[in-house]
Amino acid sequence: MRIVVVGGGVLGTFHAWEGVRRGYDVVQIERECEGRGASVRNFGLVWVSGRADGAELETALRARELWEGVPGIGFRPAGSLTVCRTEGELAVAKDAASRPEAAARGFQLLDAEQTRLRNPALKGDLLGALWCERDAIVEPRKVLPELRAELEKSGRYQFVPGREVREVRTGEVRDDHSEIHAADEIFLCTGAWHGGLIRELAGELPVRRVRLQMMQTAPLDEQLTTAVADADSFRYYPAYQGPALDALNQTPQATVAADNAMQLLMVQRADGGLTIGDTHEYAEPFGFDVQNDPYDYLKETVESLLGRELPPVVRRWAGVYSQSTEGEIVVRRTVADNVTLVTGPGGRGMTMSPAIAETSYSEAGL
């Protein structure tokens, strides 16, 4: 059996991975020289902690299990600390750690001393933290070529970059070099590309595009032993909903954070630099530039947690991802016989792509 995957991001690459894992021949087509969208513009977090109870959490846990089993990608089971600096924030953490699903997430409420023992780089003022053992880290700028290198070892995988798909129908894909790629099954994993051919095939979909801003510093001269979030992530992720969060929300975010739908996430890269973000913009048309105020706010917040100045910022960027608007973990649609469109994982994409791909094959009967 021959599978054709359209899209070279993390979702498409794991659809290719799953096909090879199941013994099929796979061709993966990407219109850029390699994936350059949201898959390489994120934190590289396998983020279990904030997922909604039920199917979303189950998918995240299964995906983490699959991530851990992929060789050669530098998977790091570092866990995360969501740092609390007020009693209201600590109350949300305490509530989360007491829920029935807390054990599955690996939640534990830590006091200030325990937090610093877990991550000695956190030398600033804090009351405690919510520890999540199940969160993990990969390198987003490296993971796609590393996955492809592993796939090529099978002898049943071909990556075809620099080709834009012009026509898709049952049994074949035609690219802009007029090459026909025959397929028994086709998966379209086209990210934030919602128009053109995708609209022709699928019509209007319950998805939107979301823009973010992030940055990265020069190497920090000490180890950040975990991923780090601030308590604004309680406001952002669905896992923390309840009376404690309602009480916290009575205290508004800082204006710049509220205006940009911000939370702080911070991950140390393998080279020692810190990836820091992020913002969320939902109303198109998006600006073509980046705004300084969110970066200044993130820098100030990180320095207050670390109790020291940040290394110089060496790069800043914006990215756009596709997000479901009707509560689906991913928007999966059959657009022709043996042709499936998979899009809209939103901020779940890096975390959940292995499990999403596994489900795509199961639902296709492969």
Side-chain angles (χ1 to χ4, degrees), residues 83-86 110-116 119 122-129 304-306:
V83 178
C84 303
R85 293 179 287 174
T86 71
L110 305 182
D111 63 22
E113 182 180 359
Q114 291 168 324
T115 300
R116 294 191 178 98
N119 192 333
L122 296 170
K123 300 179 177 71
D125 292 332
L126 55 89
L127 297 180
S304 72
L305 295 178
L306 298 180

Side-chain angles (χ1 to χ4, degrees), residues 158-171:
Q158 181 185 7
F159 182 58
V160 185
R163 303 289 183 97
E164 186 165 317
V165 169
R166 295 300 197 197
E167 184 179 9
V168 176
R169 59 186 181 182
T170 299

Side-chain angles (χ1 to χ4, degrees), residues 1 29 40-41 55 65 106-107 124 139 147 158 195 208 243 268 327-328:
M1 176 171 284
I29 304 170
V40 298
R41 305 187 193 200
E65 180 182 357
F107 276 170
E139 295 297 307
L147 281 168
Q158 181 185 7
R208 63 179 175 182
Q268 190 167 41
E328 296 173 89

Side-chain angles (χ1 to χ4, degrees), residues 64 73-79 135-139 224 267-270:
R64 191 212 185 272
I73 60 166
F75 176 90
R76 286 182 279 156
D135 289 336
I137 300 169
V138 295
E139 295 297 307
L224 200 70
V267 180
Q268 190 167 41
R269 301 270 62 95

